[in-house]
Amino acid sequence: MLEQPPASPLRPPAPASAGLLAQAPTCLPAETPLDMALAHLASAPSAAVLAEAGGEFVGILTERTAVQLTLGGLQYERLLGEVCSQPLLWCEAAESYVDVYERMLTRGVRHALVRAPDGQLAGILGESAILDRMGIEHFAHLDALEQIMTVRPHTLPVTASVDAVARTMREAHVGCVIAVDEDDTPAGVITTHDITRMLAAREDLAAVCLAARMSTPVIGLEADRPVIEAAQLMGIHRIRHVVVTRAGRIAGILSQHDIVRCLEHRYVEVLRRMISRQAEEIDAHRRLVAQGNLLDQLLSRTHELGLCLIEPHGDIRFANAATHQMLDIDGRAELVDRDDLARRLDDDSRPRLAALLGLAHGEAPVTLRAGGRAILARACPLGSGDILLILVDEQVAAEAGEWLGFSRHAFGAMGLPLVWANGSGRITMRNSAFDTLVGSAADTPLAQDLFSLLDDAHDLTRHAQPPGPDIRKRTGLRRPDGTTIPVELFFTRVHFCGECYVGGFVHDLSAQTRMELALHDTEERLVALLETSPDFIAVKDPASRWQMANTAGLRMYGLEDRDWRGRTNDELAALAPAPLDDMLRRCNDTDLRAWSQREPIRFLEALPRRSAPGVRHLDMIKTPIFDPDGQPKALMVVGRDISARIAAEQARQAAAGRLHSALSGMDDLMLIVDADRVVRDHYPNPAPTRFPFDHGVLIGKSLDALLPSPAADHLQRAQAALAHGDDVQSFDYRVDSAKGAQWFNARISRHEHVEDGGRGMTLMVRDTTRARQTTEALEQLRNTLEARVSERTAELEAALSELETFSYSLSHDLRAPLRAISGFSRLLATEFGNALPAGAGEYMARIRTAVDRMDRLIDDMLDLARLSRKPVQRERIDLTHMAKRIAEELDERDATRRVRWDIQPGMMARADPLLLHSVLDNLLGNAWKFTRDATAPCVRVYTCRDGDPTAFIVEDNGAGFDMNYADQLFQPFQRLHSPREFDGNGIGLATVQRIIRRHGGTISGESPDQGGALFRFTLGH
């Protein structure tokens, strides 16, 4: 167990008073129409409206009450006083809000009325105000949201009606419903506040869709985030609920109520108070039980008491058998009057009897003697003027104790009601305490009939023979005002003059019943608080015996299935698995330290995990509780699992280390200054030498001394702009040195937090000398760009002119020799054909074929050059029509061939018509040519829209090509088939590629293994 010295034992911070947190009240007359009250409720800062009648507040209307009113349709004509909640919780303005909130939890309300010192209403205290009051120190114990969130939030599809939302809120008693999409992802949130605004506007909830009224976007956090982030979100967005998600799915919902009721200072304090209150209630209950035991013992001694009832004029109306026995009177004789009684006593006792009976009020018992027997006697005046003389043998009194039958406690201070009645139920004797209990005068008819006063009173006289069994039973006492109170009877039966009498003491159980109910309620609340808490919570007696513990705490120590109650730490260590047994033994040290210091102690305990490797870090708080006499009463132990917090702190430190490393290695200089422009820190440290600062210690120096004069002026203006709320400020400044001019850029941002009464700022300084030089060079290039463009344009025009001249030369200078070769070869064949040797004719034919091919090659080269120069003029083209027309021309070239053309209808494109015609002419011509040897030649033209832009495809089932040489397809004069197989000059696909590229498109070709070729091209946008 890791323990730290309790240098700062847990001391809850001095709580603010309820008056400081109270919000402005919204008060309306009770006769205000409901629609007007709802309108005020929608804008009330405390989310509540008070109803006032006759100068007093008679009820409160909250948003939850408004939602409950929607059951069966909202009746707007009703009045505020008719619908508002009646119970009101008042508190004093000087009270601690912690105490007030404890009462709010006990009463099950979320608002308290704050009374000012002058008795007037000062405001309304709600949970929102309490949460706003809390600082980050109050959330130190709250780890992840998943520990306190509601794990099963209520959801509805976005298509549901708002009326369905209100119905869910009424039935489930919740203040928020999450709207979800079809895939159960959160789409929005709707609360009682939203519905209240709709009710104030008299909207039909059944006609409004949830999607139209839900709040978007969803404000949410992952389940492993700390609670402080949720509280901050609630404050920023002024909301009361945050959706909790896990991997994008809904895991729960967190409300302000969830956070406030789990705050540590309230959590520990309320738990301690509940335990103290329970102990006090147990003590009070024990006193009531002891009082009942006293009466029980008194009842058990009744047969040894002598009872003698003496009327005002001295006649003895009744004397029981014990009286006859103590006075040694024959059972057949009767006592007649007080003189007859005196004669039965010794001479020296007669004056004492007269003095005892003559007193107005009963005093302490006196000793009388009769025949040598010492008898204790006491006179009890009754309300009717009669005197009840109680006699007891002195020896019996010594055994039973004076308190049993004669003490002031029994007959004096306790003021026990006493009553006797005859067999018909008529009350024959009663004391004033009984009249007070009944609440009626002794002469009223009801007060004279025991059967009318007590339930089941007829059973009291069923046994006729004395002494009969003593009677101790619980029943009800019906009072004349119509109320019935619980009582316990301590009765006995006697026979006198042939008639049965029953009577004795009546014990009022009202206080005991209230105490038992309060004790039961306290126990239930305490058990609920313990069992719903994920913390370790235990209560020990001064001997370190465990009296109470929650399931979560028992599970941490491996005691959930052990008989732990009433055992000490050492006894539990023998039951716990290792190494948890050692942890339990060490608890003795911290228990003793808490008792010796007489104040809470706080330490860290590392508890081995049972189901996973590693340890569980518990923030332990042990609070000793003492009774009013300063004696130890109980030790409350609370341990919160802060493993996630410690891991987060370690991660934060690692992140801080990485940030420090990153800042230390950055190229800029960051200066962190306070409101007085004094440097508090800087990164990197030390500052790089390229910055013109004194390279000693920068921390503690003023920016005015570090920056040059022009920069200081810029800084002052930037700081003034930030003070007025402007965004990040930036300026450039120049520093002249022996190295030349240096330029720097400074960016200034204002700190959000306040330190020492002012807001500091961050100054980022960057060396922009190289960037400035580059910018100047670019500016020079920009200034000369127009001249250079004109120069390049002239060069291009000259090149184009030369290309035109070359084309002309190519067309005329090359064609002249070709025409001569072709002409002379024809003359030679015509005039000297018969004289030529065998085989010369074939040579002449080859010469003419080569000349024709060269002529076509020149034409193709001229076309390629011409197409490269032609500007692209896009227009809408019916590509289907163009392809069909080219296909018809190809079919006309060879009437013997039958090619099936499959051209997709409706193909449209935006392109240059002349250039696109050249593309299709080349591609379809190649397809027609290379399908010459196919059994069933087929050419397809279609589109593919799997991308953007649309791709056009020309596909055939012809000879195809070798994919190993696919990279040569679009190179000029490259042929993948020999001239003997298929004619051509290798210019067509090069021309196609150049046209496609001029359109901003792409073209590619492929040849499947089964033969054929496929060309895919696009035309850009």
Side-chain angles (χ1 to χ4, degrees):
M1 177 168 55
L2 301 178
E3 299 188 7
Q4 297 176 350
S8 300
L10 175 67
R11 295 183 183 274
S17 65
L20 292 177
L21 303 186
Q23 296 173 304
T26 302
C27 307
L28 295 174
E31 60 271 13
T32 302
L34 181 56
D35 56 349
M36 184 181 298
L38 289 173
H40 283 82
L41 176 61
S43 58
S46 61
V49 170
L50 293 175
E52 187 176 5
E56 296 182 355
F57 297 108
V58 297
I60 185 170
L61 177 65
T62 66
E63 294 172 352
R64 287 178 178 260
T65 308
V67 173
Q68 292 294 330
L69 293 175
T70 60
L71 181 63
L74 197 61
Q75 301 175 358
Y76 289 98
E77 66 277 4
R78 299 182 66 183
L79 303 180
L80 173 61
E82 299 174 354
V83 301
C84 62
S85 303
Q86 300 302 321
L88 297 174
L89 177 62
W90 283 87
C91 68
E92 301 300 326
E95 280 190 78
S96 164
Y97 73 89
V98 177
D99 298 335
V100 178
Y101 186 63
E102 180 186 351
R103 299 212 308 273
M104 291 166 63
L105 287 177
T106 304
R107 294 277 297 273
V109 297
R110 303 200 178 183
H111 297 83
L113 277 61
V114 182
R115 183 186 291 110
D118 59 359
Q120 300 298 316
L121 177 66
I124 300 178
L125 178 63
E127 285 185 332
S128 298
I130 295 177
L131 184 61
D132 291 342
R133 169 70 182 178
M134 298 305 158
I136 190 170
E137 68 276 4
H138 298 108
F139 298 90
H141 76 292
L142 297 177
D143 297 328
L145 302 179
E146 56 192 351
Q147 290 188 330
I148 67 172
M149 68 182 182
T150 301
V151 294
R152 286 183 291 275
H154 291 79
T155 61
L156 285 174
V158 294
T159 56
S161 66
V162 178
D163 184 62
V165 175
R167 184 167 56 253
T168 299
M169 291 179 174
R170 288 195 309 266
E171 296 173 352
H173 301 286
V174 295
C176 175
V177 171
I178 304 175
V180 295
D181 293 327
E182 295 179 354
D183 57 353
D184 285 339
T185 57
V189 171
I190 188 168
T191 66
T192 53
H193 182 67
D194 300 321
I195 294 183
T196 300
R197 289 187 297 179
M198 297 176 62
L199 294 175
R202 291 203 172 202
E203 295 188 49
D204 184 3
L205 302 186
V208 181
C209 180
L210 173 56
R213 287 293 186 271
M214 65 185 184
S215 299
T216 57
V218 175
I219 306 300
L221 286 172
E222 283 293 304
D224 58 353
R225 302 306 302 161
V227 176
I228 180 62
E229 291 188 16
Q232 291 171 341
L233 280 178
M234 291 178 181
I236 293 173
H237 298 283
R238 309 308 300 171
I239 57 178
R240 304 177 198 168
H241 300 82
V242 170
V243 177
V244 184
T245 59
R246 187 179 287 110
R249 312 297 293 180
I250 298 176
I253 193 163
L254 185 73
S255 66
Q256 288 181 337
H257 181 70
D258 296 328
I259 297 178
V260 175
R261 69 182 176 87
C262 288
L263 294 178
E264 182 172 350
H265 80 286
R266 188 209 62 80
Y267 181 78
V268 175
E269 182 67 13
V270 170
L271 184 60
R272 184 190 67 78
R273 293 182 184 181
M274 291 177 68
I275 293 175
S276 298
R277 187 186 303 111
Q278 187 184 34
E280 294 171 0
E281 292 171 350
I282 290 175
D283 289 342
H285 185 261
R286 188 180 296 114
R287 289 193 298 270
L288 291 174
V289 172
Q291 181 174 310
N293 291 337
L294 170 66
L295 293 176
D296 194 24
Q297 295 182 51
L298 182 61
L299 180 62
S300 66
R301 295 287 183 172
T302 300
H303 300 300
E304 300 176 1
L305 294 178
L307 300 178
C308 183
L309 184 62
I310 304 175
E311 295 179 346
H313 49 77
D315 292 338
I316 295 179
R317 191 196 317 170
F318 165 76
N320 67 350
T323 303
H324 285 69
Q325 182 180 0
M326 281 184 282
L327 298 179
D328 197 19
I329 300 175
D330 187 350
R332 291 171 295 180
E334 297 289 345
L335 284 173
V336 178
D337 53 23
R338 59 189 298 177
D339 295 335
D340 188 15
L341 174 63
R343 286 193 296 269
R344 309 287 181 173
L345 302 176
D346 295 346
D347 293 342
D348 58 348
S349 297
R350 293 170 186 170
R352 286 196 293 271
L353 174 63
L356 179 65
L357 297 179
L359 295 175
H361 301 286
E363 294 291 339
V366 299
T367 301
L368 306 177
R369 294 189 177 276
R373 173 183 292 180
I375 302 172
L376 289 176
R378 180 167 185 168
C380 296
L382 303 179
S384 59
D386 297 340
I387 296 176
L388 177 63
L389 184 65
I390 303 175
L391 308 174
V392 64
D393 190 291
E394 190 172 31
Q395 182 178 357
V396 175
E399 295 175 355
E402 183 181 349
W403 62 272
L404 189 61
F406 300 93
S407 67
R408 282 182 71 244
H409 182 72
F411 289 97
M414 286 178 57
L416 291 174
L418 180 68
V419 63
W420 284 88
N422 60 17
S424 63
R426 186 178 64 84
I427 295 177
T428 59
M429 185 181 66
R430 59 196 296 159
N431 63 358
S432 58
F434 183 80
D435 290 339
T436 302
L437 178 65
V438 174
S440 174
D443 55 354
T444 60
L446 179 62
Q448 295 294 332
D449 187 2
L450 186 65
F451 292 165
S452 299
L453 291 175
L454 298 177
D455 295 337
D456 302 326
H458 293 280
D459 295 339
L460 302 177
T461 59
R462 286 182 181 177
H463 300 280
Q465 296 300 321
D470 294 329
I471 303 171
R472 180 176 179 178
K473 62 178 296 184
R474 292 194 176 192
T475 184
L477 176 66
R478 295 185 294 271
R479 306 174 70 175
D481 60 3
T483 62
T484 300
I485 60 174
V487 295
E488 187 170 12
L489 306 179
F490 296 83
F491 278 12
T492 187
R493 299 184 185 88
V494 296
H495 271 249
F496 177 71
C497 297
E499 188 173 2
C500 177
Y501 289 86
V502 62
F505 301 102
V506 181
H507 181 34
D508 185 2
L509 296 179
S510 300
Q512 182 173 343
T513 301
R514 290 192 299 270
M515 189 69 66
E516 290 173 349
L517 293 175
L519 181 61
H520 179 71
D521 180 64
T522 302
E523 289 177 348
E524 286 189 343
R525 287 188 285 115
L526 184 58
V527 170
L529 179 61
L530 293 177
E531 291 305 317
T532 56
S533 173
D535 303 334
F536 168 76
I537 303 176
V539 178
K540 305 178 184 180
D541 64 12
S544 290
R545 288 187 293 263
W546 291 38
Q547 303 298 322
M548 187 180 299
N550 64 338
T551 303
L554 294 172
R555 189 176 296 113
M556 292 180 187
Y557 282 92
L559 300 174
E560 67 273 15
D561 56 352
R562 301 289 193 273
D563 183 15
W564 57 270
R565 197 180 303 274
R567 297 182 183 270
T568 64
N569 297 326
D570 293 333
E571 291 171 342
L572 292 176
L575 303 177
L580 295 172
D581 54 347
D582 190 48
M583 301 292 104
L584 287 166
R585 292 187 184 93
R586 296 184 184 181
C587 288
N588 292 323
D589 298 334
T590 51
D591 289 356
L592 291 175
R593 192 171 65 188
W595 286 119
S596 63
Q597 295 185 6
R598 303 182 69 85
E599 62 182 6
I601 65 171
R602 191 169 191 168
F603 58 91
L604 185 66
E605 185 171 54
L607 201 65
R609 293 185 181 272
R610 300 173 56 196
S611 57
V615 296
R616 185 197 310 271
H617 297 281
L618 295 181
D619 182 11
M620 301 294 293
I621 304 172
K622 292 192 174 183
T623 305
I625 301 175
F626 300 90
D627 61 17
D629 297 329
Q631 298 300 315
K633 179 183 291 187
L635 181 66
M636 186 182 66
V637 184
V638 178
R640 179 165 293 274
D641 188 349
I642 59 171
S643 302
R645 190 200 314 171
I646 290 180
E649 178 63 20
Q650 293 173 347
R652 187 194 65 79
Q653 292 177 357
R658 291 192 296 270
L659 179 60
H660 186 273
S661 299
L663 292 175
S664 299
M666 66 181 182
D667 192 48
D668 300 337
L669 177 62
M670 176 188 290
L671 299 175
I672 300 175
V673 300
D674 58 17
D676 298 326
R677 302 203 293 195
V678 176
V679 178
R680 295 301 182 187
D681 204 352
H682 64 89
Y683 298 95
N685 192 356
T689 56
R690 64 180 175 275
F691 293 96
F693 297 137
D694 180 6
H695 296 290
V697 178
L698 298 182
I699 297 177
K701 293 185 177 180
S702 173
L703 281 182
D704 297 332
L706 294 177
L707 296 177
S709 175
D713 295 339
H714 285 297
L715 177 64
Q716 188 172 3
R717 288 192 294 269
Q719 191 173 9
L722 290 176
H724 286 84
D726 293 348
D727 294 332
V728 177
Q729 300 295 304
S730 177
F731 62 85
D732 296 324
Y733 66 93
R734 174 176 173 172
V735 176
D736 294 320
S737 64
K739 298 179 181 180
Q742 284 185 279
W743 284 91
F744 298 92
N745 173 262
R747 291 177 57 85
I748 308 172
S749 59
R750 189 185 186 196
H751 293 169
E752 291 298 328
H753 71 281
V754 178
E755 183 178 359
D756 296 333
R759 297 181 184 272
M761 58 184 179
T762 299
L763 182 68
M764 294 290 296
V765 182
R766 171 172 294 180
D767 186 352
T768 59
T769 304
R770 292 185 179 179
R772 191 101 180 181
Q773 293 171 351
T774 303
T775 302
E776 292 175 352
L778 290 176
E779 183 67 20
Q780 293 177 357
L781 290 175
R782 188 182 67 81
N783 294 333
T784 61
L785 180 61
E786 185 174 353
R788 298 181 60 171
V789 168
S790 299
E791 181 181 349
R792 293 295 296 168
T793 301
E795 293 176 356
L796 289 175
E797 290 176 350
L800 289 175
S801 177
E802 292 177 359
L803 183 59
E804 289 287 345
T805 304
F806 171 75
S807 299
Y808 180 82
S809 300
L810 184 66
S811 175
H812 293 80
D813 296 348
L814 290 182
R815 287 183 187 276
L818 290 177
R819 285 194 296 269
I821 295 173
S822 176
F824 284 114
S825 63
R826 290 180 183 277
L827 288 175
L828 186 60
T830 302
E831 297 181 4
F832 304 98
N834 295 329
L836 293 176
E842 181 181 353
Y843 295 153
M844 297 298 294
R846 288 187 178 184
I847 291 173
R848 289 194 300 272
T849 301
V851 169
D852 292 339
R853 186 166 64 251
M854 186 64 184
D855 187 62
R856 290 195 302 273
L857 181 60
I858 292 173
D859 290 339
D860 291 339
M861 292 177 63
L862 291 174
D863 290 341
L864 179 61
R866 186 169 56 253
L867 292 175
S868 299
R869 297 192 305 271
K870 182 184 182 303
V872 178
Q873 297 178 345
R874 290 180 182 263
E875 59 182 69
R876 187 173 177 81
I877 300 172
D878 187 344
L879 193 141
T880 299
H881 177 71
M882 182 181 290
K884 287 182 177 180
R885 190 175 60 192
I886 295 173
E888 292 173 355
E889 295 175 354
L890 292 173
D891 285 340
E892 292 175 356
R893 292 185 186 179
D894 189 350
T896 62
R897 292 191 58 189
R898 294 292 183 265
V899 177
R900 184 169 66 88
W901 299 93
D902 184 3
I903 301 174
Q904 176 182 320
M907 292 186 296
M908 305 297 293
R910 289 192 60 83
D912 188 293
L914 180 61
L915 297 180
L916 185 59
H917 185 278
S918 177
V919 170
L920 288 180
D921 187 50
N922 277 283
L923 293 177
L924 294 180
N926 284 346
W928 183 82
K929 177 173 61 177
F930 289 112
T931 55
R932 183 187 62 196
D933 299 331
T935 304
C938 176
V939 179
R940 298 179 59 207
V941 183
Y942 57 94
T943 60
C944 178
R945 300 182 181 273
D946 58 353
D948 186 27
T950 301
F952 299 93
I953 300 173
V954 177
E955 183 181 4
D956 64 68
N957 61 347
F961 54 87
D962 189 348
M963 285 294 294
N964 292 325
Y965 302 99
D967 57 339
Q968 301 178 14
L969 275 176
F970 304 102
Q971 296 181 10
F973 310 114
Q974 295 293 327
R975 293 174 47 84
L976 301 186
H977 296 276
S978 66
R980 291 189 300 272
E981 294 178 302
F982 301 97
D983 60 349
N985 50 35
I987 294 297
L989 290 180
T991 302
V992 168
Q993 185 187 52
R994 184 165 298 183
I995 294 174
I996 293 300
R997 286 181 174 175
R998 295 195 64 196
H999 280 78
T1002 61
I1003 184 169
S1004 63
E1006 60 183 73
S1007 180
D1009 295 338
Q1010 62 270 23
L1014 184 147
F1015 289 88
R1016 178 193 303 265
F1017 67 91
T1018 62
L1019 297 173
H1021 294 283

